[in-house]
Amino acid sequence: MDPFENLTADRPTFVTHLECGATGEHHEADRLHGLSNAGKPLLVRYDLDAVSAAIDKETLAARPPDMWRYREFLPVRAAEHIVSLGETMTPLIHLRSEEARLRTPSIVVKDESRLPTASFKARGLGMGVTMAHELGVQRVAMPTNGNAGAALAAYGSRVDMEVYVFCPADTPEVNVREIAMLGARVWRVNGLINDCGKIVAAGKDEMGWFDFSTLKEPYRIEGKKTMGLELAEQMNWDLPDVIFYPTGGGTGIIGMWKAFNELEAMGWITRKPRLVAVQSEGCAPIVKAYHDGKDHAELWKDAATVAAGIRVPAAIGDFLILEAVRKSGGFAIAVSESAIERAQATAAARDGVMTSPEGAATLAGLERALEEGLVDRNERMLLFNCGHGLKYPMPPSDQALDHTAPIDFATLAAAAHPLDL
Ligand SMILES: *Cc1c(COP(=O)(O)O)cnc(C)c1O
């Protein structure tokens, strides 16, 4: 197998147009677009009959294992424009200890921390930068809680794009340094991500920025869509019953829902999973809107959570998230900060899986959903770990030994353990 085949082979593409997610109004493909004329996110539409005729499951299975294997389902026209850092297919891992503890036969984590820049933002920004590059963009700006900025910086640097990034002041230190090291210009801002977004909007004209804010360009969703395509393929086109997803701006939930609908329209799958949006009690606008029966969420005041990636007080795609959750038969659920911490410690110390706090939130969400009877124990559960735990502050560990003094070995087994909380 040629390892670069997905990045070099000429393959047909099937985009017909872009469609406003709210009004359905058509916008022309292969042109630079931000939001729709109605000010809402744009969705990319394909001739799915033609996709069906061009590709089958066997052909797909023989390609190298990265997200570009799904080219017929993606918008990029010319292989030479693909900006790639090795977007590998991510593994599925059983949490055996949790399955035993929660008496649930199948709890599987899809571990997206293996992607470039150690988060699933690589999928969306890899695609977004590829399309921006294809359409001639050279200067971009973005508000971010960290991981998106790092991915934008990494992909942007490969094609000499000028990248401007604005983070809330308390973004994890490692993220800000990572963004800087990857060649972007980065600032800490004394506000939240929506305040950072206002800076991008205000500076856009003067700076000639293309706005890479979540869902303000159409292609990040297409990158995130590959999570759904990949999951379906990995599970032999028989998806799990319930997917728990840490929801911030919502690109992942919207992208996966789009993937499942496209696959269903093509007859590649017959059953779609229920989608569960998990948020922190410290920032739960989608959960509130879900319970209030609303189509749009209200701005969440004083948003606070250790799970930086889901600290999004207002999401422009809120109505699309809520639609995916409701139409799939799923629900939205909030978990406490202490439940997130506990779940993170448990997954790490008992199952060896170092999740981000966002990923841990999905485990906490599953536990709560079981307690409340929202899911059945025997359903197959899939959790998304969207970033690596090493990118966040960890509890200190500072036990020391003096090798020149006698060691009381019997005391070592009594040392502190993370689960003695
Ligand atoms: C961005 C991010 C999320 C939220 O993703 P959306 O798809 O935008 O809702 C969750 N977890 C991590 C680690 C993230 O970086």
Side-chain angles (χ1 to χ4, degrees):
M1 191 191 291
D2 168 6
F4 299 106
E5 181 195 311
N6 294 337
L7 309 180
T8 53
D10 274 330
R11 286 178 185 155
T13 51
F14 300 96
V15 176
T16 53
H17 62 278
L18 310 187
E19 193 178 290
C20 173
T23 67
E25 187 194 345
H26 287 203
H27 291 61
E28 209 177 319
D30 304 302
R31 293 209 176 191
L32 202 57
H33 290 289
L35 292 170
S36 72
N37 293 334
K40 298 291 181 184
L42 283 167
L43 301 169
V44 183
R45 295 299 180 202
Y46 300 81
D47 177 350
L48 293 175
D49 291 335
V51 176
S52 286
I55 175 98
D56 55 40
K57 293 174 181 174
E58 291 69 35
T59 311
L60 204 50
R63 293 181 179 171
D66 65 44
M67 78 176 202
W68 305 100
R69 70 203 264 124
Y70 304 108
R71 272 270 290 295
E72 286 85 349
F73 295 82
L74 300 175
V76 53
R77 300 285 188 190
E80 67 192 21
H81 296 133
I82 295 177
V83 189
S84 169
L85 286 162
E87 297 71 24
T88 187
M89 288 176 90
T90 61
L92 299 174
I93 308 166
H94 275 279
L95 294 185
R96 295 292 186 205
S97 300
E98 291 305 291
E99 287 166 356
R101 187 174 70 87
L102 299 173
R103 299 189 317 285
T104 300
S106 182
I107 304 176
V108 172
V109 173
K110 186 159 173 62
D111 190 6
E112 296 278 300
S113 72
R114 316 298 175 94
L115 288 161
T117 66
S119 90
F120 70 175
K121 293 294 194 298
R123 293 185 191 266
L125 276 312
M127 184 62 63
V129 169
T130 289
M131 291 307 293
H133 179 51
E134 181 154 86
L135 297 169
V137 172
Q138 281 166 343
R139 239 186 188 198
V140 301
M142 152 192 279
T144 176
N145 282 320
N147 286 330
L152 180 64
Y155 288 95
S157 70
R158 281 184 80 78
V159 285
D160 257 340
M161 225 175 246
E162 240 177 71
V163 177
Y164 293 78
V165 175
F166 303 90
C167 310
D170 55 355
T171 299
E173 183 63 35
V174 66
N175 274 299
V176 181
R177 295 190 183 191
E178 181 189 17
I179 293 165
M181 200 156 175
L182 285 165
R185 295 161 169 85
V186 58
W187 288 267
R188 294 170 181 279
V189 176
N190 56 345
L192 291 174
I193 188 165
N194 47 324
D195 301 308
C196 297
K198 285 177 197 151
I199 296 178
V200 173
K204 218 168 134 169
D205 288 341
E206 185 176 337
M207 296 298 291
W209 288 330
F210 181 67
D211 187 347
F212 250 87
S213 304
T214 304
L215 296 179
K216 289 195 180 167
E217 61 77 53
Y219 299 108
R220 211 204 283 193
I221 291 181
E222 296 305 294
K224 288 286 188 85
K225 191 176 86 177
T226 64
M227 284 193 303
L229 300 174
E230 184 176 303
L231 180 64
E233 189 183 9
Q234 281 175 310
M235 300 197 66
N236 206 17
W237 311 103
D238 178 21
L239 286 153
D241 298 305
V242 193
I243 293 180
F244 288 81
Y245 183 86
T247 305
T251 55
I253 239 174
I254 297 166
M256 276 195 285
W257 184 237
K258 192 167 183 289
F260 299 149
N261 285 313
E262 290 174 2
L263 291 173
E264 186 183 49
M266 289 168 59
W268 284 29
I269 60 169
T270 51
R271 211 181 37 78
K272 292 179 290 193
R274 279 143 64 210
L275 297 177
V276 178
V278 182
Q279 298 197 304
S280 158
E281 285 174 355
C283 181
I286 299 295
V287 179
K288 180 167 189 309
Y290 171 78
H291 286 300
D292 293 349
K294 300 269 174 60
D295 294 335
H296 285 84
E298 287 161 34
L299 176 80
W300 189 273
K301 300 233 172 61
D302 304 319
T305 167
V306 288
I310 55 174
R311 193 176 59 163
V312 180
I316 192 163
D318 52 3
F319 64 107
L320 295 170
I321 302 171
L322 288 158
E323 181 183 298
V325 165
R326 290 193 176 113
K327 283 202 176 154
S328 72
F331 52 91
I333 194 164
V335 294
S336 69
E337 290 291 297
S338 59
I340 291 175
E341 250 172 71
R342 180 81 195 169
Q344 192 184 20
T346 314
R350 287 222 185 88
D351 280 298
V353 178
M354 184 80 166
T355 68
S356 58
E358 296 84 347
T362 65
L363 177 56
L366 165 62
E367 188 163 357
R368 180 151 187 203
L370 281 166
E371 280 162 16
E372 295 184 4
L374 296 167
V375 291
D376 183 274
R377 268 177 214 295
N378 291 314
E379 293 188 287
R380 292 172 304 158
M381 316 293 182
L382 197 288
L383 313 179
F384 267 88
N385 176 40
C386 303
H388 207 295
L390 291 174
K391 295 185 84 171
Y392 300 75
M394 279 174 277
S397 176
D398 48 17
Q399 298 182 111
L401 276 180
D402 177 1
H403 74 99
T404 64
I407 292 172
D408 182 358
F409 286 99
T411 63
L412 299 187
H417 186 269
L419 297 178
D420 304 337
L421 294 169

